[in-house]
């Protein structure tokens, strides 16, 4: 079966019909778990490693898919490279070779399991499931209730919580029977790539796994093109008894399964200063700076957990550097390196993901960020493994493609992958594209996706240049913000600080001065009068930024109205609280008026908007399949007028009740250790572009301050302040209104707009041109406007 999607997606999957997972014989020993484990493994000599090393795939997964009452599918799915698509016969042969390898090890003549690794995998997986269940973080109550309700069909009351995690002993016959279903006669092979629809009829390229003899059809529900035919008998016979592949082997046992689950907070030398506040349900104390050095350019924050009591630790490291976002090319080289490193680390770290350990390396506009999470015992080993491989990879890539041809192929694979995902980022829904384009205009320094694509398509892009770009980040002037939080005491945190310093802030490291930190403020949009001084008295206001959806099949249109209110510095805690309350009230009002009553479209939203440099505002967004941007703009403005009337008629006590609801959201209690860590880290990492004075006065309590002001303000004063904010900055005639409409046109609407403007220009109508003053389109128009704009203060 072949599909031709709109997006640039290239996938192949083999789906085998199997019994439903609730079948007693399947549930008793869950043979699909071992199959998922070995087929989806990414270690050395695995199916994934073989296909990846040959440049055929970018990813592989294996496991149950659709699970109905009387059947399920067991899927092996791969993301293909261009070469993998052309050589999909080789991909399919390798999949069936691995299945054949498993079958040869699973049973002998009497149905027993001669290879001891298969029951060992079963027992290892059960240990991991037990571990994950025992130390699972609290789930959201609604999600947990929903999950347990579903299990009530299949489990006894005493097994509702743990039933999905437990299994019986290894059953060799059950495993062999489930494995016997993985045959070509029992399979559906699906190939997805948009180029399939462009293939010439009768084309000969040597690919046997194809459906070119079938006619293209249109899928009933979504209108997607597809074609299908039965698997040819010659392929069935080839896949049924494929030749052995000496490069394929079962994975080894997992050496990363932890054994030390002791809690540092229970150590006899640990006092408990937070115990009383935790027991009382107070807001937990924030982390504190434990280690500081390198002229203030290195800080490690620390907090030992006493509340959640799980043997897990999280370590975050942000390497602050101006070199990541110094140019579009540097940013893309860093992203390619991230992908290459992730690929290289697969064989090292795949087993860690199975036991709840995780690591990530990402690049941001302000630098390079590391994250290490999981069982405390293994965090130092995880840190050392990742950072050692990172530094070694830079050295290897700098040797160049002639010295490292396999690495050069890996670099090229990920260049293509990053290019594809970058292009696909503009194929999203119109409402998300509207937010993207408005952010580009407001952000003082942001590169358009087109710049990234241009660099990624440069044939001179090479892996040695990629390595030099990352080395410039590590070896240049840097600052380090790090956090160690969870089941880690002060001694453990100091050890982590020493490891971080040794890798990234050694004696030769040069500290990053404040003036070289990457600071991105938000442009101040012009008021009506300011816009007239830029574009003339006939300027369209609010200013209008027009873009056409990149997806050639997109017919919906979207409009976003951005209303700037200021920055965190100009608004203060009270102004920020009022803006949050206004957005909260606006969402309910806009949904009722624009969606329920006027039925403009399913996507209607009003939200609080954060922009670069802690800029603050409100957005109103509508996506419609029935109306064009001009009508949507008019209706949004009409709603704003009616919303002002609603605010005026709302009793003060009702306003206070809604303010209390906003305050409750701001001070929502953390239910998991990861929530608390993420909240504190978000505040810490948000200071990396600040001055030294600001970084020494980190405002962890800011949300609580805003919430307290909302709760304590007198209802009459609160309502009056809300109306004053609206009348000064939000209303159509507000003197300090700073507004921008961003309009994304679907294909048909864009065509009609071009025709209307061309007719107006030919008719000599006033303003008869492609666009009038104040209507912007494209990067040149945006840059021209930005040249007139100041920025909101950041401090």
């Amino acid at each position: 079966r072949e599909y031709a999607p709109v997006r640039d997606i290239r996938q192949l999957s083999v789906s085998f019909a199997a019994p439903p997972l609730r079948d007693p014989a399947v549930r008793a020993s869950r043979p699909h778990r071992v199959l998922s484990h070995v087929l989806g493994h990414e270690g050395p000599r695995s199916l994934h490693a073989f296909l990846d090393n040959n440049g055929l795939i970018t990813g592989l997964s294996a496991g149950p898919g659709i699970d109905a009452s009387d059947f399920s599918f067991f899927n092996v799915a791969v993301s293909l490279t261009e070469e993998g698509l052309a050589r999909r016969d080789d991909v399919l042969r390798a999949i069936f070779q691995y299945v054949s390898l498993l079958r040869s090890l699973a049973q002998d003549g009497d149905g027993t399991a001669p290879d001891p690794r298969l029951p060992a995998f079963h027992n290892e997986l059960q240990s991991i499931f037990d571990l994950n269940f025992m130390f699972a973080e609290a789930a959201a109550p609604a999600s947990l209730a929903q999950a347990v309700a579903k299990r009530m069909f299949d489990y006894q009351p005493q097994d509702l919580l743990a039933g999905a995690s437990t299994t019986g002993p290894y059953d060799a016959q059950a495993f062999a029977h489930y494995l016997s279903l993985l045959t070509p006669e029992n399979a559906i092979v699906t190939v997805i790539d948009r180029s399939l629809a462009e293939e010439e009829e009768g084309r000969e390229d040597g690919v046997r796994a194809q459906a070119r003899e079938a006619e293209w059809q249109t899928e009933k529900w979504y209108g997607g093109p597809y074609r299908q035919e039965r698997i040819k008998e010659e392929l069935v016979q080839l896949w049924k008894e494929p030749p052995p592949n000496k490069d394929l082997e079962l994975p080894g046992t997992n050496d990363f399964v932890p054994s030390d689950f002791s809690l540092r907070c229970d150590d006899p030398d640990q006092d408990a200063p937070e115990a009383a506040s935790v027991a009382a349900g107070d807001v937990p104390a924030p982390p504190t700076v434990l280690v500081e050095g390198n002229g203030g350019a290195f800080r490690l924050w620390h907090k030992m957990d006493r509340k959640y009591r799980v043997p897990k630790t999280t370590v975050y490291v942000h390497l602050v550097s101006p070199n990541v976002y110094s140019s579009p090319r540097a940013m893309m080289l860093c992203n390619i390196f991230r992908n290459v490193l992730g690929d290289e680390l697969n064989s090292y770290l795949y087993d860690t993901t199975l036991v709840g350990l995780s690591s990530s390396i990402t690049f941001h506009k302000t630098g390079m960020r590391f994250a290490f999470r999981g069982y405390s015992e293994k965090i130092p080993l995880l840190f050392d493994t990742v950072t050692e491989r990172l530094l070694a990879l830079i050295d290897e890539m700098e040797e160049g493609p002639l010295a490292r041809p396999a690495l050069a192929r890996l670099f090229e694979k990920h260049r293509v992958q990053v290019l594809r995902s970058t292009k696909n980022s503009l194929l999203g829904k119109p409402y998300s594209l509207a937010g993207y384009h408005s952010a580009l205009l407001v952000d003082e320094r942001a590169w358009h996706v087109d710049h990234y694509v241009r660099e990624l398509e440069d044939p001179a892009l090479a892996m040695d240049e990629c390595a030099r770009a990352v080395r410039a980040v590590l070896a240049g002037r840097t600052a380090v913000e790090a956090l160690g939080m969870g089941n880690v005491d002060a001694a453990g945190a100091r050890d982590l600080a020493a490891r971080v310093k040794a890798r990234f802030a050694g004696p030769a490291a040069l500290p990053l001065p404040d003036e070289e930190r990457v600071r991105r403020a938000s442009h101040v949009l012009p008021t009506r009068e300011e816009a007239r001084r830029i574009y003339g008295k006939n300027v369209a206001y609010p200013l209008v930024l027009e873009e056409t959806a990149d997806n050639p099949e997109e017919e919906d249109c979207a409009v976003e109205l951005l209303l700037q209110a200021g920055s965190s510095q100009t608004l203060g805690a009270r102004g920020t609280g009022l803006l949050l309350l206004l957005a909260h009230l606006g969402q309910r009002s806009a949904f009722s008026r624009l969606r329920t009553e006027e039925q403009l479209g399913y996507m209607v939203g009003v939200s609080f908007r954060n922009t670069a440099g802690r800029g603050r505002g409100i957005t109103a967004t509508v996506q419609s399949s029935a109306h064009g941007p001009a009508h949507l703009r008019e209706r949004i403005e009409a709603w704003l007028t009616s919303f002002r009337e609603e605010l005026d008629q709302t009793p003060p006590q009702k306003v206070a009740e809604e303010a209390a609801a906003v305050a409750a959201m701001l001070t929502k209690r953390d239910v998991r250790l990861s929530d608390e860590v993420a909240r504190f880290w978000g505040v810490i990492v948000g200071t990396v572009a600040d001055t030294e004075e600001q970084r020494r006065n980190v405002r962890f309590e800011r949300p609580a301050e805003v919430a307290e002001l909302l709760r304590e303000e007198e209802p009459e004063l609160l309502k009056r302040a809300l109306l004053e904010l609206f009348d000064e900055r939000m209303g159509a005639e507000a003197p300090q209104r700073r507004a921008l409409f961003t309009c994304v046109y679907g294909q048909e609407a864009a065509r009609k707009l071009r025709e209307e403007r061309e007719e107006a220009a030919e008719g000599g109508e006033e303003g008869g041109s492609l666009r009038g003053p104040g209507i912007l389109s494209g990067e040149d128009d945006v840059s021209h406007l930005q040249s007139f704009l100041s920025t909101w203060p950041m401090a």
Side-chain angles (χ1 to χ4, degrees):
R1 182 176 295 169
E2 297 179 339
Y3 293 94
V6 173
R7 289 196 174 203
D8 189 8
I9 300 171
R10 195 177 297 115
Q11 294 178 343
L12 180 149
S13 66
V14 185
S15 302
F16 302 95
L21 300 185
R22 66 185 63 183
D23 185 297
V26 174
R27 186 190 298 169
S29 62
R30 305 186 193 275
H32 56 277
R33 284 185 176 174
V34 174
L35 277 175
S36 301
H37 174 66
V38 295
L39 279 166
H41 206 279
E42 298 182 10
R45 305 194 69 182
S46 64
L47 175 62
H48 177 279
F50 173 75
L51 294 172
D52 186 44
N53 292 340
N54 282 278
L56 304 179
I57 67 167
T58 59
L60 182 149
S61 63
I66 295 174
D67 181 30
S69 61
D70 56 350
F71 80 98
S72 68
F73 278 124
F74 184 90
N75 300 325
V76 180
V78 296
S79 297
L80 298 168
T81 62
E82 287 188 21
E83 183 178 0
L85 179 68
R87 294 175 54 192
R88 53 189 181 272
D89 288 348
D90 295 339
V91 174
L92 287 163
R93 182 173 62 251
I95 291 173
F96 283 101
Q97 283 174 330
Y98 205 92
V99 171
S100 179
L101 170 65
L102 282 171
R103 191 173 291 118
S104 70
L105 298 174
Q107 64 179 7
D108 58 17
D110 59 1
T112 60
D115 195 306
R117 287 176 291 181
L118 296 176
F121 290 143
H122 177 91
N123 296 333
E124 178 183 279
L125 290 171
Q126 185 55 54
S127 297
I128 293 172
F129 275 102
D130 291 343
L131 198 64
N132 292 338
F133 177 79
M134 186 184 306
F135 298 112
E137 291 193 289
S143 300
L144 179 60
Q146 185 181 45
V148 172
K150 290 180 179 179
R151 294 175 198 160
M152 293 175 73
F153 290 99
D154 303 310
Y155 295 95
Q156 294 299 313
Q158 66 270 22
D159 298 324
L160 287 176
L161 293 179
S165 299
T166 59
T167 186
Y170 178 73
D171 186 331
Q173 289 186 336
F175 181 81
H177 174 70
Y178 199 96
L179 183 58
S180 70
L181 301 174
L182 274 59
T183 65
E185 297 96 334
N186 191 41
I188 298 174
V189 176
T190 302
V191 182
I192 302 174
D193 183 68
R194 65 182 182 185
S195 68
L196 294 172
E198 303 167 2
E199 290 181 347
E200 298 177 5
E201 186 175 352
R203 172 184 167 189
E204 291 294 336
D205 54 10
V207 176
R208 289 185 285 178
Q210 44 83 11
R212 292 198 192 107
E213 296 177 7
E215 295 292 330
W216 283 102
Q217 304 177 58
T218 301
E219 193 272 332
K220 179 179 179 180
W221 301 108
Y222 297 99
Y226 76 98
R227 62 188 179 188
Q228 63 183 21
E229 66 177 45
R230 294 191 66 83
I231 299 174
K232 297 178 177 64
E233 184 60 29
E234 61 177 300
L235 291 176
V236 170
Q237 294 305 316
L238 176 62
W239 297 340
K240 201 171 182 178
E241 297 180 2
N245 187 330
K246 60 181 178 59
D247 294 321
L248 298 177
E249 182 56 271
L250 293 187
T253 55
N254 193 337
D255 296 328
F256 284 91
V257 178
S259 58
D260 181 4
F261 308 112
S262 59
L263 299 177
R264 299 285 70 79
C265 62
D266 288 343
D267 291 347
D269 59 340
Q270 298 293 336
D271 55 8
E274 297 176 67
S277 65
V278 169
D282 295 338
V283 176
T288 56
V289 176
L290 180 69
V291 180
E292 189 169 12
N294 201 21
F298 180 94
R299 291 193 304 180
L300 181 129
W301 298 75
H302 168 249
K303 181 181 178 181
M304 183 173 65
D305 170 57
R306 302 177 185 275
K307 177 180 178 182
Y308 301 97
R309 300 183 61 81
V310 291
K312 296 182 179 181
T313 297
T314 296
V315 176
Y316 286 124
V317 180
H318 188 89
L319 194 65
V320 187
S321 169
N323 293 327
V324 173
Y325 204 65
S326 59
S327 68
R329 192 178 187 89
M331 189 71 196
M332 290 300 97
L333 287 169
C334 287
N335 282 343
I336 295 172
F337 180 86
R338 175 200 63 199
N339 286 14
V340 173
L341 177 63
D343 211 329
E344 283 284 291
L345 285 171
N346 272 342
S347 60
Y348 292 86
L349 299 179
Y350 179 77
D351 281 340
T352 68
T353 65
L354 303 177
V355 295
L357 285 164
S358 67
S359 64
S360 65
I361 298 176
T362 52
F363 290 90
H364 300 260
K365 293 180 179 179
T366 55
M368 187 177 185
R369 195 171 300 172
F370 301 80
F372 306 92
R373 310 175 189 88
Y375 293 99
S376 309
E377 176 191 0
K378 300 294 183 179
I379 289 295
L381 175 61
L382 181 64
F383 177 87
D384 289 344
T385 302
V386 171
T387 54
E388 284 173 7
R389 184 61 197 134
L390 180 149
L391 297 175
L393 181 62
I394 293 175
D395 293 337
E396 293 169 10
M397 293 179 71
E398 283 183 329
E399 295 176 18
L402 294 179
R404 299 277 183 172
L407 197 54
R409 290 193 297 270
L410 188 62
F411 171 84
E412 177 60 17
K413 181 186 82 170
H414 286 293
R415 181 197 67 81
V416 173
Q417 189 174 347
V418 172
L419 174 61
R420 183 185 304 121
S421 63
T422 302
K423 287 181 175 180
N424 282 344
S425 66
L426 289 181
L427 297 180
K429 290 297 182 182
Y431 76 89
S432 64
L433 295 177
Y436 167 76
H437 287 293
S438 66
L440 279 178
L441 189 152
V442 171
D443 198 327
E444 180 186 22
R445 186 183 177 210
W447 307 111
H448 192 280
V449 166
D450 289 347
H451 291 270
Y452 298 143
V453 171
R454 198 156 49 237
E455 298 296 345
L456 289 167
E457 291 180 337
D458 182 0
L461 208 66
M463 74 174 189
D464 50 339
E465 182 187 5
C466 179
R468 290 194 298 272
V470 179
R471 190 178 293 282
V473 175
L474 298 176
R477 290 185 177 272
T478 58
V480 176
E481 292 283 349
L483 170 66
M485 191 166 163
N487 185 42
V488 56
D489 58 13
R494 288 191 179 95
D495 176 70
L496 289 170
R499 293 172 187 271
V500 174
K501 276 188 172 182
R503 288 284 188 259
F504 306 120
L510 297 174
L512 181 69
D514 279 0
E515 56 270 20
E516 291 186 26
R517 289 179 180 251
V518 177
R519 288 191 169 85
R520 295 166 45 247
S522 287
H523 285 114
V524 180
L525 292 173
T527 63
R528 186 187 301 273
E529 288 304 314
E530 291 166 350
R532 285 173 176 166
R533 289 197 289 271
I534 297 172
Y535 293 104
K537 64 179 182 178
N538 294 325
V539 63
Y541 198 84
L543 299 178
V544 179
L545 175 60
E546 295 181 339
E547 299 289 345
T548 300
D550 285 71
N551 186 344
E553 305 297 324
E554 184 61 69
E555 296 299 337
D556 282 11
C557 299
V559 169
E560 175 198 87
L561 173 62
L562 170 61
L563 297 165
Q564 285 187 325
S567 68
S568 178
Q569 194 272 340
T570 62
L571 289 170
R574 184 171 184 268
T576 300
L578 291 172
L579 198 62
L580 285 165
L581 177 56
L582 197 62
H584 174 73
L585 295 168
Q587 167 59 23
R588 184 179 304 170
S589 171
F591 192 89
S592 175
R593 172 63 65 89
L594 300 178
R595 178 176 173 179
T596 305
E597 295 179 19
E598 299 188 19
Q599 297 186 7
L600 294 183
Y602 281 100
M603 177 56 65
V604 174
V606 172
S607 60
F608 179 86
R609 176 76 170 266
N610 281 309
T611 55
R614 301 190 184 96
R616 303 288 187 260
I618 285 178
T619 57
T621 307
V622 179
Q623 179 172 310
S624 176
S625 59
H627 301 282
H631 181 75
L632 298 180
R633 293 203 309 267
E634 187 271 326
R635 297 317 304 156
I636 291 174
E637 289 283 27
W639 163 74
L640 267 176
T641 301
S642 67
F643 179 45
R644 173 60 174 81
E645 297 173 358
E646 292 174 26
L647 290 175
D648 193 36
Q649 295 168 9
T650 303
Q653 191 57 42
K654 178 63 175 175
V655 174
E657 291 173 1
E658 297 294 343
V662 174
M665 288 188 286
L666 288 171
T667 55
K668 183 180 178 182
R669 180 185 174 193
D670 298 318
V671 298
R672 296 174 295 189
L673 175 61
S674 59
D675 295 335
E676 185 176 313
V677 174
R679 179 165 58 85
F680 287 136
W681 176 244
V683 177
I684 293 169
V685 80
T687 68
V688 298
D690 291 342
T691 63
E692 182 178 359
E693 181 179 352
Q694 289 174 303
R695 295 195 303 276
R696 291 191 177 278
N697 296 279
V698 179
R699 302 288 298 278
F700 291 106
E701 71 284 357
R702 180 79 171 191
E705 289 178 357
V706 173
E708 186 176 2
L709 289 169
L710 286 173
R711 288 192 186 103
E712 294 185 353
E713 184 123 21
E714 290 293 329
E716 290 79 9
L717 294 177
L718 186 61
K719 177 179 175 180
R720 186 185 310 157
L722 204 61
L723 290 171
E724 288 173 355
L725 174 63
F726 187 98
D727 291 340
E728 181 184 4
R729 296 189 178 276
M730 305 294 161
E733 302 302 324
Q736 287 300 310
R737 191 187 208 205
R738 300 184 180 278
L740 171 71
F741 271 122
T742 303
C743 305
V744 176
Y745 287 77
Q747 299 300 322
E748 180 62 18
R751 184 188 63 79
K752 290 181 178 180
L753 180 68
R754 287 193 298 269
E755 291 177 353
E756 291 172 1
R757 288 180 174 168
E758 288 169 1
E759 289 177 4
E762 291 172 1
E765 297 179 18
E766 185 177 354
S769 63
L770 292 182
R771 296 188 309 274
I775 299 178
L776 291 67
S777 181
E779 194 173 351
D780 290 343
D781 286 358
V782 169
S783 297
H784 176 257
L785 172 62
Q786 289 173 331
S787 68
F788 291 94
L789 305 181
S790 60
T791 58
W792 292 106
M794 296 174 59

